[in-house]
Amino acid sequence: SPTAVNNVESIATVTPIIEMGGAEYAKLGVEHSTGTRVFSLSGNVVRPGNYELPHGYPLRDLIHEVGGGIAGGRSLKAVIPGGSSTPILTASEAEKVTLDFDSLSQAGSAIGSAAVIVLDDRCCMVQLGVRVSQFYEHESCGKCTPCRVGTRWLTQILKKIEAGHGTHADLDLLLDVGDHVNGTCLCPLGDSDAIAVASYVAKFREEFLQH
């Protein structure tokens, strides 16, 4: 009132809402997450792609039935459920959640952009941290110091750990830097890097210690 719609997914949803009627469309999905969503499935699955499904669809079914399972017959290690900015889920967590706001929030993650990234048992979580942090470092506009400096610092620490030159103090420093980035930036970009990296350490700390 007035409302500016700048999201192509929102615009694309208008037509079926008008055709079906709001009440009928709202019957799709689950409470608090009505309607459908385009889930962009990528990573180590047999059939990656964009799939429109109702909210509340089981994540395990998206991976194993819609996506054809883990490529090469390998085992599932982890899933990023809503794009690189959302906290990671372990394989056991991924088997239990449904793709809606409430279920993923209760699991400590988020539906985000609905970009589901599937990771098999070959994935190195430290290397994943490096690549994700490099992305946010590159995308930073540089306007605010916590993001401009923090994302670069996170990347540098992660590279040091990946190379096998890290210490326990570096792991503590990594999380400390993330804490100082999260919530202090002018936009959520820096926060996204800090939140994602912290989730890798929290869920797969032993891998970081092995490095």
Side-chain angles (χ1 to χ4, degrees), residues 12-26:
T13 305
V14 171
T15 302
I17 291 174
I18 293 173
E19 289 177 341
M20 297 174 65
E24 283 301 307
Y25 183 80

Side-chain angles (χ1 to χ4, degrees), residues 17-19 27 30 45 80 102 106 136 168 172 189 194:
I17 291 174
I18 293 173
E19 289 177 341
K27 290 179 182 178
V30 294
V45 288
I80 299 173
D102 289 344
Q106 289 166 9
Y136 287 107
H168 286 253
D172 293 335
L189 188 137

Side-chain angles (χ1 to χ4, degrees), residues 75-156:
S75 59
L76 178 66
K77 181 173 183 176
V79 180
I80 299 173
S84 64
S85 64
T86 57
I88 201 166
L89 298 174
T90 64
S92 60
E93 290 171 329
E95 292 289 331
K96 302 171 186 174
V97 299
T98 52
L99 292 162
D100 56 84
F101 293 96
D102 289 344
S103 179
L104 287 168
S105 177
Q106 289 166 9
S109 190
I111 197 167
S113 63
V116 180
I117 306 168
V118 179
L119 306 167
D120 69 22
D121 54 6
R122 297 170 298 175
C123 179
C124 168
M125 288 299 153
V126 182
Q127 185 185 61
L128 176 66
V130 171
R131 294 194 175 185
V132 167
S133 192
Q134 282 178 323
F135 165 76
Y136 287 107
E137 179 188 350
H138 179 266
E139 293 300 311
S140 175
C141 75
K143 185 174 182 179
C144 69
T145 303
C147 181
R148 182 182 68 253
V149 177
T151 54
R152 181 177 298 177
W153 201 355
L154 288 171
T155 302
Q156 289 173 343

Side-chain angles (χ1 to χ4, degrees), residues 14 19-20 24 28 31-32 34 40-41 47 57 65 82-83 96-97 129 148 152 169 183 189 209:
V14 171
E19 289 177 341
M20 297 174 65
E24 283 301 307
L28 299 171
E31 187 181 11
H32 302 140
T34 58
S40 181
L41 181 65
R47 292 190 296 270
Y57 196 83
E65 294 183 18
K96 302 171 186 174
V97 299
R148 182 182 68 253
R152 181 177 298 177
L189 188 137
L209 294 175

